[in-house]
Amino acid sequence: MLFSELATYFSRLEKETSRNSLVEILAELFEHALPEEIASCTYLLQGRLAPFFQPIEIGMGVNYVADAIALAYQTDRAEVLRRFDRLGDMGEVAKEMGEESGRAAPPEASPGIVEVFETLKRIAGMAGPGSIEQKVGAFTKLLSSLDPLSANYLCRIPLGRLRLGVGDPTILDAFSFAQVGDKSLRKRLERAYNETSDLGLIGDTLWQHGIEGVDCLSIRVGNPIRPALAERLPSAEDILKKLGRCAVEMKYDGFRCQVHKDGEDVRIFSRNLEDMTGMFPEIAQATVRQIAADTAIFEGEALAYNPASDEFLPFQQTTRRRRKHKIDEAAQELPLRLFAFDLLYMNGENVTSVPYEERHDRLARLIQRDETIDVSATRIVEDPEALMEVFNLAIQEGLEGILAKRLDSPYQAGSRNFNWVKLKRAQSGELQDTVDCVIIGYIYGRGKRSSFGVGALLVAVYDPDRDLFTSITKIGTGLTDEEWREVRERCEPYVSEDKPARVESILKPSVWVEPAVVIEVLADEITRSPIHTAGMDGEKQGYALRFPRLVSFRSDDRRPEDCTTVREIVEMYGQQGFRPAK
Ligand code: AMP
């Protein structure tokens, strides 16, 4: 398939907002591609050259893309930047210039998808002295071989502005439609996706080896596994009723780390599957030192620890080092401690189907504990009183609460279910748990706050069935000036003139923001609402958060698709009014 044909599909996708039509267009695209083109197509649809967890970047910002456009269309950078100011998008600039230069139809020797993909990868790999000129040169050559529409999409890729509005669930559905004409393969594809996190690999395997080939894909050291997540129940009684005799662990409020060890090579992935190894040098070193296995995958919660006061510090302190350049210094000043809580893989054996109790035992035996990697404290309880004893102990130690775990449960990648149940501390008059929301717009205010350009935030939760972000509340009060400034800084790159493709909202903010910035929100209550679209269904009203306030910025460990889901909101609504007994 030519890249120009792919660009035509991109432009159809970009104009479409109905989810079913998106799936149809994608399925048509996959049907037309050759099997060996499926992986490149899939990564390009995500605006990437590799799965998300491989930090491959093209390494060309706005100015270098502008240089390439100037060279390709024989003008200068200043002219390109002038047009960029007017059009607001480098892709549109390339398209306009391409049209003016008379390249309206695809030129004869138009490159294929794989050729473009491989060239972009080669550009990404260029490093060292003189590499900028090389990158610009290779990109210019590519651009010169493309028609205006293709040039538009090509220029958006290095700038991370492809934004076609297709999320991973939509691509999985399209794979199934392209192969069998309906959604029936979705569950099997999703299992492979949860265990490998690599849509390109799954597409490639499906086309080359069929669905049976996909069934053979399984967890592997180096590919992050989509994390298992916890459900909520309102009381210790409910937990024991649901799980029976169960294990109770401390709930540490830190940064979830999935550690992959292959001999001396260690990778650490965040909850949103990003490679964060560089941020945690002391944990990577300790893994080599403390883990008595050649290969292993385990999970734990990393917390900043202040040895002087013997105290754990909250999440924000833990992640502060992400924005600090001198990570090694931070590691000295504020060392992290990792509480390992689950084992997924060990010496070549996938242990996710081994019951929790045995996995935790094996984990405890695997780790030669010291001050960096420890094992989560766990106790088996049979009645609510014993569970509350552990809960109260956790609160006394300044932790968030507890996680109860079903003793015979497997590790189920990517699912939130009652294998794990969380019980958190809550003040009376507050929801028992925070809600992770994504910012979808600003509403300009009057008065003091408008000097920062923001008056209120419109935020949404995620509806995975429809791959949509649906509005749930406006947050207007309770943010400090500093927090407003941070909101603005974080949202700036995602401001959009039109409503972003995957957003559903009746309220129209002053400015839309592409779903990217995730915040943790605490509210007093969930109410039914005619103006918010979360959970709205035909005649049925939606759900809204009452008296919401910002607790923390969570983009460091949550993708927008990791936000609280509509289903969870409906469950939390049903559980309101119950509090864990003191
Ligand atoms: P939440 O993020 O509120 O849904 O709670 C689940 C999160 O708690 C997990 O994603 C982990 O990051 C964290 N966590 C803290 N302590 C534990 C533990 N002992 N077992 C499992 N998860 C834990």
Side-chain angles (χ1 to χ4, degrees), residues 249-252 256 271 301 341 403 405 416 420 422 424 558:
E249 294 191 18
M250 299 283 162
K251 185 171 191 311
Y252 307 95
R256 186 170 183 162
R271 185 188 137 136
E301 193 83 357
F341 55 71
L403 271 138
K405 300 189 174 178
R416 185 184 294 279
W420 294 2
K422 57 181 162 175
K424 288 211 223 172
R558 308 260 203 280

Side-chain angles (χ1 to χ4, degrees), residues 277-576:
T277 315
M279 182 170 143
F280 300 117
E282 71 272 54
I283 294 178
Q285 285 153 17
T287 300
V288 176
R289 192 173 70 232
Q290 293 183 247
I291 304 300
D294 239 13
T295 54
I297 303 176
F298 62 98
E299 283 193 333
E301 193 83 357
L303 280 85
Y305 172 66
N306 181 348
S309 61
D310 189 25
E311 267 176 354
F312 293 110
L313 305 172
F315 174 79
Q316 275 89 336
Q317 300 266 1
T318 307
T319 51
R320 191 172 287 170
R321 67 160 74 169
R322 179 164 193 188
R323 274 177 287 281
K324 266 197 177 181
H325 295 304
K326 296 182 181 150
I327 286 179
D328 283 331
E329 268 175 35
Q332 291 274 318
E333 261 170 47
L334 213 59
L336 294 182
R337 194 168 263 203
L338 183 83
F339 288 92
F341 55 71
D342 216 324
L343 179 67
L344 289 80
Y345 190 88
M346 188 181 144
N347 284 331
E349 185 193 351
N350 176 348
V351 297
T352 51
S353 53
V354 169
Y356 158 81
E357 200 173 4
E358 191 184 329
R359 290 201 312 279
H360 203 275
D361 273 358
R362 286 211 207 174
L363 177 72
R365 273 180 276 134
L366 184 68
I367 295 174
Q368 291 154 5
R369 300 181 193 194
D370 73 12
E371 69 282 359
T372 305
I373 305 181
D374 202 341
V375 182
S376 61
T378 176
R379 190 170 130 195
I380 293 179
V381 302
E382 300 193 27
D383 53 62
E385 291 71 32
L387 189 147
M388 285 313 289
E389 256 176 48
V390 187
F391 179 84
N392 290 328
L393 198 69
I395 301 302
Q396 272 167 33
E397 291 201 11
L399 301 172
E400 291 192 291
I402 56 97
L403 271 138
K405 300 189 174 178
R406 225 181 68 207
L407 293 175
D408 62 357
S409 60
Y411 184 98
Q412 276 173 294
S415 43
R416 185 184 294 279
N417 58 32
F418 289 95
N419 289 341
W420 294 2
V421 180
K422 57 181 162 175
L423 188 66
K424 288 211 223 172
R425 173 192 45 193
Q427 307 294 329
S428 74
E430 276 175 1
L431 278 180
Q432 214 200 312
D433 199 1
T434 51
V435 176
D436 295 324
C437 301
V438 66
I439 299 176
I440 56 169
Y442 311 149
I443 296 158
Y444 289 137
R446 274 167 295 209
K448 181 160 170 256
R449 253 184 269 131
S450 59
S451 62
F452 301 115
V454 183
L457 297 171
L458 182 63
V459 304
V461 289
Y462 185 51
D463 182 347
D465 295 333
R466 297 188 299 146
D467 194 13
L468 283 180
F469 297 93
T470 53
S471 83
I472 188 153
T473 197
K474 282 192 298 188
I475 306 178
T477 51
L479 271 77
T480 61
D481 290 354
E482 181 53 36
E483 283 169 334
W484 281 116
R485 230 173 263 126
E486 187 162 353
V487 163
R488 204 192 145 99
E489 251 174 51
R490 286 180 183 254
C491 290
E492 195 77 42
Y494 303 103
V495 163
S496 155
E497 243 170 64
D498 305 315
K499 186 174 74 59
R502 288 193 289 159
V503 165
E504 188 182 70
S505 169
I506 295 171
L507 294 179
K508 191 171 176 305
S510 321
V511 177
W512 292 103
V513 178
E514 300 269 351
V517 180
V518 179
I519 56 175
E520 182 184 5
V521 175
L522 182 62
D524 284 2
E525 204 187 353
I526 298 173
T527 54
R528 298 307 298 258
S529 155
I531 55 163
H532 286 290
T533 55
M536 196 176 260
D537 187 4
E539 294 290 284
K540 280 207 270 167
Q541 297 197 331
Y543 294 81
L545 301 180
R546 216 160 93 88
F547 300 125
R549 47 225 179 253
L550 177 114
V551 176
S552 63
F553 290 94
R554 294 305 291 229
S555 302
D556 288 337
D557 73 338
R558 308 260 203 280
R559 286 196 294 171
E561 291 82 0
D562 298 322
C563 281
T564 304
T565 61
V566 170
R567 184 181 64 80
E568 291 178 78
I569 294 290
V570 177
E571 276 172 15
M572 289 169 83
Y573 177 76
Q575 289 178 3
Q576 287 182 130

